[in-house]
């Protein structure tokens, strides 16, 4: 990063109070700032740091009124947090922009086409009949099978495996070594104890603005499609089974798993290491706490659930508090039993 | 897929009632069928759909007697579900069959040999002294170390990593980015607080007809072998530690983990996100529910277990129901205490 | 392995009792030994096997006094277990040593340099401005981005993905398909329900003597560094989120996950499938049992914790025993209630 405060203020539509000619070359938390860094102040809890920070500039909300003298340069904006994010994005974009063209050796099958200004890394493999939009980046060691579509501006990181017939929208990011479209786990028990593989003939559809972390797995549908709706954010090591559908803007944290044919609503928040059973439906805006196990459909929107089996968060907390106090409860029970015996005896 | 109903009936040893010259180009669930699709009816719960389905043909059991008029063409077979599976398999086989030969660049070390009609994808790597059977497919970016054996008809998907000395049987499928034979997790604590690596010198043996999902890990043995017996089916993101042995036809769902030196019997069913401790033995036909944690050997065959720590499923459900009702139980306890006090007072 | 007992004794600074000219070509557990094998006896529980083992030689502690006649050759050393490990390491080193030089095709970007006696496998990719020490092994299909540093003697296994700006110390081993430095999971909710990506501009720093298993993921910091201190051992399928710091010699077993900005102390032992929440601090020498969920900071050193939510191991076990006995407790409660009713009635 190398901007003057003045350039940054212009980019963020902000107003500078202090020296606008200082050069900024890095970003830091306000409490960890060093000369040359830019920080932001959005949460008033962190306000004390603005009077002592060594950062050369701090982005603040337009209604911020210092209570003491401030040594650093201030950039006043509509929303300090959003502005800071925009700045970092701009920085990242310029960094990422450095990758383009085709590195060799790389493999592209017949009838596959890429749009303008793409990057295709060394040792990347693209099968047949693939249609790839403009400014897409396919990093080294990425594998695309046949008949795949990828929308404009999407980024496929190193070692991602995308199976035949997958459709990925625009502005998607798939991080390293994630597997999209491998077979769903379907086996039919035979009378001799063996299992017969149920062919998995469907595909995976990922809409726009989806982000999927590293080493996750999204299985193709048995028939039809496994669907990840637009704006969904999935973390690392997450398992999405065949024929699952995940609604718009739902967020799933690391190491969670969703079993086959389950439909998750929009705007849900699923914490880490959650397990969700198959063939259920989860209403919009459901929140599921870490390590929960959800075994039943949730019909009412906006619930907060926790536990395994998962239930209302507050009820779960109440029960867990009593589990902790079980030794005490048993003592009280014993006490009553003793008194009862005594009274029987009298 | 492009078959006439007549061809399909012949393939499945079935009898057609209706137009046997219609062309089928896809498969669908009976309730989602469209013209050109074939569906099946095995579970009588779905019978109502056969009177309204738009599928061009439906495979039914030979004893099926329609209760109303049926517009679609019927194919009567011994077992509709099995027949449908056979059909899809045939379709998949024809699709898969399209891959063969050697794509370049690819790497094969000295003294390594492949049987007839194999596929070796671009950027695949095969080390030294490997013996690979006939009609094996090694997809792009797969890595095989040295001294590896792979039996006929097995398929190694993109990005699979197979370490030295691994033995894989016939008809196995290993999905993308799974790692077979990396080091078991063994470290000896030293007096200065550091750990010394215990060399892992064993290997992994995978017998015939095994399927392993994507992004799973199967560690090599410290000495001897980690063994996956024939017919085992393992899902995505599963961890199998060093010196584990998994019995014939056992099924393990996604994100489960088995710790070192544990022996699992035959025909077990292990659901998702289960954890199994090390150095225990699990009897044949054991069923373990999702998110369970098994800490002790199971000697009796055929048990259903659940919970963490895992115990008899019904006992677990009973305890869980009471955990839910703990606030009520505490109220009842308080109530008794109040009465007790009152009676003490009298 | 091909050593005489005499050579082995010399390597281990041991004293031979028996035939020191026998050739050893493999290692085995004392109870599974065969002619040509070497075993060790450290735990007196296994002493009975030394009188019947078929191993050609057994390494024993210097204070070992046989109670019966021993047929095998004995090598007396300071510490039998450590000596055995050293022997196996030596064997492994000689095996591994066989890889060196550069296989083609492989890719190395401008201004990247490797030290002496390195191995660079076919289809490995090294970006720009990387500095790699001596005797480092970069296996096939490994990916290194730009500006990466790797210390002497480290081994990067097949398919490992290392993102830009990562720093890895000396003597580290990263197993297959692990991802180091992909984006932390950070998204800022917008008023329209969508999420904005928070750029992740930090990096990952891994100190010396660290081992990381297969298919694990270590995210880069949002700003600053995710830090893995020296001597840390991480198993397969583990998730380490952005800005986490893991203290010296801490061990983390398979499928565990640590959420963002958490700091774990030194010498901790974290079992499998554990979940640790974000923004907490865990004291040195903490032990956390399998499948536990830790939601709060641990300030006291040396505690053993278990359960979800995690608490003192013994308290947890006591509560779990009572959960098991809840049906009995409810019966006793009912019994008291019945008696109470009767006494009310009198």
């Amino acid at each position: 990063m190398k901007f003057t405060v003045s350039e940054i203020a212009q980019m963020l539509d902000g107003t500078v109070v202090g020296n606008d000619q200082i050069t900024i070359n890095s970003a830091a938390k306000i409490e960890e700032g060093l000369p040359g860094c830019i920080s932001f102040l959005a949460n008033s809890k962190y306000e004390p740091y603005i009077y002592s920070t060594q950062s050369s500039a701090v982005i603040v909300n337009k209604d911020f009124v210092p209570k003491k003298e401030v040594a650093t340069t201030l950039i006043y904006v509509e929303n300090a947090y959003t502005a800071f994010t925009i700045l970092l994005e701009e920085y990242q974009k310029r960094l990422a922009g450095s990758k383009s063209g085709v590195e060799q050796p790389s493999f592209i099958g017949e009838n596959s086409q890429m749009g303008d200004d793409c990057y295709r890394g060394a040792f990347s493999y693209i099968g047949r009949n693939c249609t790839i939009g403009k400014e897409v980046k396919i990093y080294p060691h990425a594998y695309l099978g046949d008949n795949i579509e990828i929308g404009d501006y999407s980024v496929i990181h190193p070692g991602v495996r995308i199976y035949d017939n997958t459709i990925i929208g625009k502005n998607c990011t798939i991080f390293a070594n994630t597997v999209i479209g491998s077979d769903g786990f379907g086996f039919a028990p035979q009378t001799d104890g063996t299992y017969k593989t149920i062919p998995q003939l469907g595909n995976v559809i990922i809409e726009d603005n989806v982000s999927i972390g590293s080493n996750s797995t999204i299985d193709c549908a048995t028939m039809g499609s496994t669907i990840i709706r637009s704006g969904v954010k999935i973390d690392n090591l997450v398992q999405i089974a065949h024929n699952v559908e995940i609604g718009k803007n739902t967020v799933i944290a690391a190491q969670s798993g969703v079993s086959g044919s389950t439909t998750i609503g929009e705007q849900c928040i699923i914490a880490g290491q959650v397990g969700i059973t198959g063939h259920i439906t989860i209403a919009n805006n459901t929140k599921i706490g870490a390590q929960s196990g959800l075994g039943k459909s949730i019909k009412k929107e906006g619930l907060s659930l926790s536990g395994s089996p998962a239930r209302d968060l507050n009820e779960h907390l109440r029960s867990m508090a009593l589990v902790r106090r079980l030794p005490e409860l048993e003592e009280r029970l014993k006490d009553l039993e003793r008194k009862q015996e005594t009274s029987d005896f009298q």
Side-chain angles (χ1 to χ4, degrees), chain A:
Chain A
M1 198 182 319
K2 208 138 209 180
F3 305 104
T4 64
V5 167
S6 161
E7 284 167 339
I8 291 172
Q10 208 178 333
M11 196 190 297
L12 303 178
D13 203 12
T15 312
V16 179
V17 172
N19 181 352
D20 70 354
Q21 289 312 306
I22 305 173
T23 302
I24 299 300
N25 50 47
S26 187
K29 293 183 187 173
I30 193 166
E31 67 271 31
E32 297 173 354
L34 293 172
C37 288
I38 189 163
S39 302
F40 74 101
L41 171 65
N43 184 332
S44 59
K45 190 169 102 183
Y46 291 92
E47 188 181 322
Y49 293 110
I50 207 169
Y51 307 112
S52 58
T53 187
Q54 293 191 55
S55 284
S56 298
V58 178
I59 301 171
V60 295
N61 291 329
K62 64 176 182 181
D63 58 2
F64 172 67
V65 183
K67 300 204 182 74
K68 295 196 231 170
E69 204 180 332
V70 169
T72 183
T73 293
L74 300 180
I75 306 176
Y76 284 88
V77 298
E78 194 63 35
N79 182 315
Y81 181 63
T82 306
F84 189 66
T85 316
I86 289 167
L87 175 64
L88 296 189
E89 267 175 356
E90 183 57 30
Y91 173 55
Q92 206 172 43
K93 212 176 286 169
R94 292 189 191 188
L95 268 184
S98 62
K99 292 277 177 193
S100 68
V102 176
E103 293 170 353
Q104 290 301 356
S106 56
F107 186 102
I108 185 158
E110 52 189 34
N111 294 319
S112 285
Q113 290 174 334
M114 295 189 78
D116 291 342
D117 302 314
C118 283
Y119 167 60
R120 192 144 62 77
F123 315 122
S124 63
Y125 182 102
I126 298 176
R128 292 170 290 203
N129 307 314
C130 293
T131 306
I132 294 170
K134 66 180 177 188
E135 299 190 34
V136 168
K137 294 186 203 311
I138 309 282
Y139 273 83
H141 305 120
Y143 166 89
L144 280 67
D146 298 337
N147 312 314
I148 287 169
E149 293 175 29
I150 298 184
D152 302 343
Y153 314 111
S154 286
V155 182
I156 308 301
H157 282 252
V160 168
R161 315 296 168 195
I162 304 178
Y163 279 75
D164 297 355
N165 309 313
T166 298
I167 297 172
I168 295 179
K170 294 179 184 175
N171 285 310
C172 289
T173 306
I174 318 286
F175 287 95
N177 286 352
T178 277
V179 178
I180 313 273
S182 68
D183 271 20
F185 196 60
F187 299 94
Q190 306 298 299
T191 49
D192 64 353
T194 64
Y195 289 88
K196 219 173 164 45
T197 301
I198 300 171
Q200 305 289 315
L201 300 174
N203 74 340
V204 175
I205 297 175
I206 294 175
E207 296 186 348
D208 300 340
N209 303 311
V210 169
S211 175
I212 302 177
S214 295
N215 275 336
S216 286
T217 53
I218 302 193
D219 288 344
C220 74
T222 309
M223 290 184 280
S225 302
T226 301
I227 302 175
I228 313 293
R229 296 286 176 205
S230 70
V232 166
K233 310 297 177 191
I234 294 175
D235 201 352
N236 301 336
L237 294 164
V238 169
Q239 150 74 356
I240 306 292
H242 46 177
N243 294 86
V244 164
E245 178 175 339
I246 299 184
K248 271 171 63 175
N249 299 324
T250 280
V251 172
I252 303 181
Q255 297 179 317
S256 286
V258 183
S259 302
S261 300
T262 280
T263 298
I264 298 180
E266 302 181 358
Q267 306 283 151
C268 294
I269 296 178
I270 298 169
Q273 296 186 338
V274 168
I276 298 178
T277 198
H279 298 272
I280 65 171
T281 300
I282 299 176
N284 296 339
N285 290 301
T286 303
K287 287 189 179 58
I288 308 181
Q291 294 193 323
S292 296
L294 186 58
K296 287 183 191 168
S297 287
I298 300 300
K299 282 169 190 160
K300 199 176 155 195
E301 299 198 357
L303 296 183
S304 288
L305 307 168
S306 191
S308 177
R311 48 195 289 233
D312 175 80
L313 173 63
N314 289 323
E315 286 176 19
H316 172 68
L317 292 176
R318 222 170 296 144
S319 286
M320 283 302 104
L322 285 164
V323 164
R324 242 167 212 276
R325 286 174 44 218
L326 272 174
E328 175 214 317
L329 263 57
E330 201 200 11
E331 277 314 310
R332 286 161 61 187
L333 191 61
K334 278 188 194 162
D335 206 45
L336 283 169
E337 286 169 337
R338 269 191 299 268
K339 286 177 178 164
Q340 178 66 48
E341 259 176 62
T342 321
S343 89
D344 281 1
F345 199 72
Q346 287 176 329

